[in-house]
Amino acid sequence: MTDTRQRSFEDNDQKPMGFGRMLRKEDPRFVRGRGRYTDDVQLPGMLHLAILRSPFAHARIVSVDTSAAAALPEVKAVITGADLAGLGLAWMPTLSGDVQAVLATDKVRFQGQEVAFVVATDRYAARDALELIDVEYDVLDPVIDVRQALAEGAPLIRDDLDGKTDNHCFDWETGDADATAAVFAKADVVVSQDLVYPRVHPAPMETCGSVADFDPVEGRLKLWSTTQAPHAHRTLYAMVAGIPEHKIQVISPDLGGGFGNKVPIYPGYVCSIVGSIVTGKPVKWMEDRSENLISTGFARDYIMRGEIAATRDGKILAIRTNVLADHGAFNGTAAPVKYPAGFFGVFTGSYDIEAAYCSMTAVYTNKAPGGVAYACSFRITEAVYLVERIVDCLAYELDMDPAALRLKNFIQPDQFPYMSKTGWEYDSGDYEPTMRLAMELAGYDELRKEQAEKRTRGELMGIGISFFTEAVGAGPRKHMDILGLGMADGCELRVHPTGKAVVRLSVQTQGQGHETTFAQIIAEEIGIAPADIDVVHGDTDNTPFGLGTYGSRSTPVSGAAAALVARKVRDKARLIASSMLEVSVADLEWEKGSFHVKGDPGTAVTIQDIAMRAHGAGDLPDGLEGGLEAQICYNPSNLTYPHGAYICVVDVDPGTAVVKVRRFIAVDDCGTRINPMIIEGQVHGGLTDGVGMALMEMISFDEDGNCLGASLMDYLIPTALEVPDWETGFTVTPSPHHPIGAKGVGESATVGSPPAIVNAVVDALKPYGVRHADMPLTPSRVWDAMRGTAQPP
Ligand code: MCN
Ligand code: CUM
């Protein structure tokens, strides 16, 4: 279906001088297979590392015998937890302030945990040697069911922590419990619903890996690794390994997707560093698919009870929730330290309500560590699912149209900046036009008529809505840091004498097209064509410090830095232009790419002329240094709050319970749009994620803690066959505090789509009296829901 609105609003120019549709600059490299990924790094004398992993979810290590493996001629080193303990490296801090075993010393705490590693002359020999390592385990009872983690007598997982007597990880609350209880007490209608957001996995196409090259003479470490946050990782390696920070270079080359999976520091990275130090050779570690699925950062795993209070005519008064969070064996969440539950506090959604409260308990279980990854916007995925599902439950109870219920409760445009009941200051928003546009593109009223007619024939058609507000762009450094590192971003811009430029970013693209969009931001501000601007990122030696790409923060934080650094360059260019044109600064006018004398457009100098003068012979204005460059560190004053309205249409086969997503309409508002084509790509990808989570994906375990989703045959991810032709539209509500008014969009669709799909399936099942069913809505789940035989997952 053609989205006419999009076409009429935007020009289709492929070479904009600034914002607009433009093919990605990185495409020629990727399309021709010329990307350079970590696994493409080849160094002279490089060795290969393989990791021995625990077959058990919970077991004491009695002994490890490495002699047979070490005797193989190809094997250069075999390292165990005991060896690392001797170096003080057996444990490392996680990004959320817990500790995690690099190699297990005392116990293994999840299936797939790292126990020992081998460094050998090739990958195959290293793998073969793993089979010769003899580990004796004393198997312990595991904690797999999160609801049993705090039960009396539950096996203690984290006996490594001083004084720990149970599997409690942390408690967290937000909002006002008493005020919320009071509102609930007086409400006409109260609806409560248990919801499970299952454990899922980002499963990027490229698995995690690293190449470490330690030079003992210089004491320098060069590390290529699959990381979304090279600078933060470098600082942590310096703190953990004791190598001075200026002697560590972290390079994150092309990444084959990250989706949050490449935010944490994994034991494998540390092992490759140790391997290189021990052998004196470069060492490569590269996971296989199963290793990635069983041991690296999972996502979600929240069991939620949602409660909503309203008047009989559908005014929402309060929302309350209680959450049980499964954090696995080590708290490997990456979130700003003051936010152990990420930004879950935005669970009040897009609605103006009187009170809200959330209490959360997080626990340890014998499962892989992780917690936030997978296009999560720091747990906003879970928050949006909660509120958008519970609002639909309310619509069901009130027998109200879910679109009408939402329209009745939106925060109004004149209420922005809006302080939510849990303390989040929404910067800007205008929700109703976004919702109305989605309804118009969907043909909402027609769809409802079609549905009513189909129901008379026993056909199951469902229409699901989700309306989300995200909080992205972490974050203001007075509130947000990771392990003490403030979440500001540096940016540096240099204009060469011939007027070409290079911009250096602290963020790291994983496929979002930063090499294009950041060049467009600079182009918009100083009028140098994007093709003439090189974007450098992902190398700590060649970029300014900053905390990296996740939580859709690149545009809100680094994008702002890029715009401001360009304005700094423009300010200097203005001074030079005034001397070149021999007029005062006040008499100059800027037109993208050149300054001219006010009222005399013919008397002008281009940015290229100015760049040459800045570097060339001849005088510059008094006191001005040569060159045309600038650097800044941008500390955002607030997060940005993008929003969107999604409508999903499904058909459910009453005979097989198979769900088909027939249509999906997504209207996103991410403020000023830098490159609409890239935004559409981000939205398409995120919507596809949503189909995966809503209908197919779940990492599950048997009662012994065996991971049942350790391959892509078992862990189903969506393909072109499961997804419809996406229909997109947009509205534009700029961020008032961002220099170009842009808000993040990289995770919006992943956040917003699962509730739309689930709401659609539940709506389809309305004739069966179904009010809720848990993800993933596989045919058997849907079948159970239709029959009323559903079990909690
Ligand atoms: N953009 C734009 N106009 C806006 C906002 C964004 O043109 N108003 C563009 C940006 O310039 C950028 C892209 O959209 O090229 C995404 O921008 P942003 O929302 O700032 O998100 P990030 O760049 O910080 O990307 C991170 C986000 C996250 S956290 C996950 S997870 C995710 C996602 O991006 N992982 C991805 N999208 C992904 N896309 C790909 N291909 N691969 C991943 O691993
Ligand atoms: Cu939480 S996945 Mo993204 O923020 O890298």
Side-chain angles (χ1 to χ4, degrees), residues 517-538:
T517 48
F518 279 84
Q520 290 184 268
I521 295 174
I522 303 294
E524 179 76 24
E525 295 292 338
I526 58 171
I528 294 176
D532 291 340
I533 301 167
D534 221 17
V535 176
V536 176
H537 57 87

Side-chain angles (χ1 to χ4, degrees), residues 528-611:
I528 294 176
D532 291 340
I533 301 167
D534 221 17
V535 176
V536 176
H537 57 87
D539 178 345
T540 54
D541 271 11
N542 291 300
T543 56
F545 185 85
L547 277 211
T549 291
Y550 41 83
S552 304
R553 65 187 294 282
S554 302
T555 303
V557 188
S558 271
L564 293 179
V565 84
R567 287 178 197 175
K568 255 185 160 176
V569 163
R570 197 171 71 201
D571 287 345
K572 181 169 182 183
R574 186 191 307 271
L575 298 175
I576 299 171
S578 97
S579 84
M580 290 172 81
L581 294 171
E582 298 179 336
V583 294
S584 78
V585 166
D587 288 330
L588 285 176
E589 211 149 279
W590 169 253
E591 206 167 306
K592 214 186 266 184
S594 64
F595 284 103
H596 63 257
V597 177
K598 264 187 195 157
D600 179 11
T603 308
V605 282
T606 64
I607 190 81
Q608 287 78 13
D609 301 332
I610 298 167

Side-chain angles (χ1 to χ4, degrees), residues 299-431:
R300 327 292 190 247
D301 225 342
Y302 266 23
I303 297 186
M304 307 182 269
R305 148 138 317 178
E307 293 176 285
I308 189 164
T311 62
R312 176 83 41 212
D313 63 351
K315 174 80 192 83
I316 303 171
L317 302 173
I319 299 174
R320 185 162 58 190
T321 179
N322 177 267
V323 181
L324 180 59
D326 186 343
H327 277 247
F330 307 102
N331 187 5
T333 296
V337 283
K338 282 192 221 157
Y339 302 83
F343 298 168
F344 188 78
V346 301
F347 68 89
T348 56
S350 316
Y351 311 109
D352 183 26
I353 60 175
E354 291 176 17
Y357 178 67
C358 167
S359 63
M360 179 180 295
T361 301
V363 298
Y364 292 114
T365 59
N366 288 113
K367 301 176 196 166
V372 308
Y374 194 1
C376 60
S377 297
F378 290 130
R379 299 282 192 194
I380 293 176
T381 34
E382 292 90 327
V384 166
Y385 182 69
L386 173 86
V387 59
E388 289 308 289
R389 198 69 272 291
I390 192 90
V391 164
D392 255 43
C393 291
L394 177 65
Y396 181 98
E397 291 302 330
L398 294 173
D399 200 19
M400 229 177 127
D401 179 273
L405 178 59
R406 286 175 171 83
L407 283 164
K408 190 181 172 92
N409 286 285
F410 281 149
I411 301 163
Q412 294 301 306
D414 60 3
Q415 291 178 282
F416 290 94
Y418 175 83
M419 185 58 81
S420 84
K421 289 294 178 283
T422 47
W424 296 78
E425 190 187 302
Y426 293 19
D427 61 345
S428 65
D430 190 358
Y431 296 161

